[in-house]
Amino acid sequence: MSLHDDAVLVLKAYEDQPELRDAYLEHLAAHPDGLWKACGDGHLTASALVVDPERGRVLLTLHRKLRMWLQMGGHCEPGDATLAAAALREATEESGVAGLTLLPGGPVRLDRHPIPPPCHCHFDVQYAALATPDAVHAVSDESLDVRWFPYDEVPEVADDSVVRLLDATRARLDA
């Protein structure tokens, strides 16, 4: 199965945010290259919010280009077999945390946001990754900093999309 086919199946199975989900599926139908950075009309990305539920905290990266505290994530690569694998790879690379596991149940949220040219937008498929309380993190080349934040501090440092992702992650953890 190709990454494109996996993305379509994952999105079709995703029941929340139906209008946004349908926009993602329409984008993939109209753009065979819609998973790749080269697609100028926008492309899918995969991200993961790294959480330590035992300590009630989240690991965020201070993105080098955007200078914003965000979840770990980025572009799909040819070696990614699935969107989940891409999200886990990005989370591991950008956090330096070994042994992350994705929260069961598939994507937690979808978030479409504009990005600077030459592309127009990211269709971000957002997962959550679980870290152990003793997880050791490191700053990658894509980050200015990586830091743990208690859940209640996230709204003070991150934008609304990260807060929504954290809220959805916590709701799934509590279910």
Side-chain angles (χ1 to χ4, degrees):
M1 174 184 306
S2 71
L3 181 58
H4 186 276
D5 292 341
D6 172 75
V8 170
L9 287 175
V10 165
L11 291 166
K12 284 184 176 179
Y14 183 75
E15 296 179 358
D16 296 333
Q17 301 173 270
E19 289 179 20
L20 193 53
R21 177 204 58 215
D22 291 347
Y24 279 44
L25 290 168
E26 289 168 13
H27 177 76
L28 287 175
H31 301 282
D33 62 345
L35 282 163
W36 312 114
K37 187 176 182 179
C39 182
D41 286 334
H43 48 272
L44 266 67
T45 54
S47 68
L49 182 69
V50 176
V51 295
D52 170 5
E54 289 184 36
R55 293 176 124 173
R57 62 186 186 159
V58 60
L59 187 65
L60 298 177
T61 179
L62 184 56
H63 194 278
R64 183 172 295 282
K65 290 181 184 176
L66 299 176
R67 302 199 183 273
M68 297 171 59
W69 288 103
L70 300 170
Q71 75 275 15
M72 315 300 164
H75 298 102
C76 296
E77 295 181 1
D80 295 326
T82 63
L83 284 176
L88 188 58
R89 175 188 51 75
E90 286 286 344
T92 301
E93 288 175 0
E94 291 185 9
S95 71
V97 176
L100 293 173
T101 58
L102 292 182
L103 186 63
V108 176
R109 281 192 51 78
L110 304 176
D111 186 75
R112 180 176 53 192
H113 49 269
I115 59 170
C119 189
H120 296 293
C121 73
H122 278 168
F123 295 83
D124 194 29
V125 181
Q126 300 177 328
Y127 292 82
L130 302 174
T132 60
D134 61 347
V136 176
H137 63 278
V139 178
S140 76
D141 292 342
E142 297 180 35
S143 304
L144 294 171
D145 195 5
V146 176
R147 189 179 311 162
W148 288 105
F149 292 93
Y151 292 159
D152 61 351
E153 287 183 17
V154 172
E156 298 170 20
V157 298
D159 71 5
D160 289 342
S161 69
V162 178
V163 173
R164 288 189 298 268
L165 177 55
L166 175 57
D167 289 346
T169 298
R170 291 180 72 186
R172 187 172 296 175
L173 285 166
D174 292 341

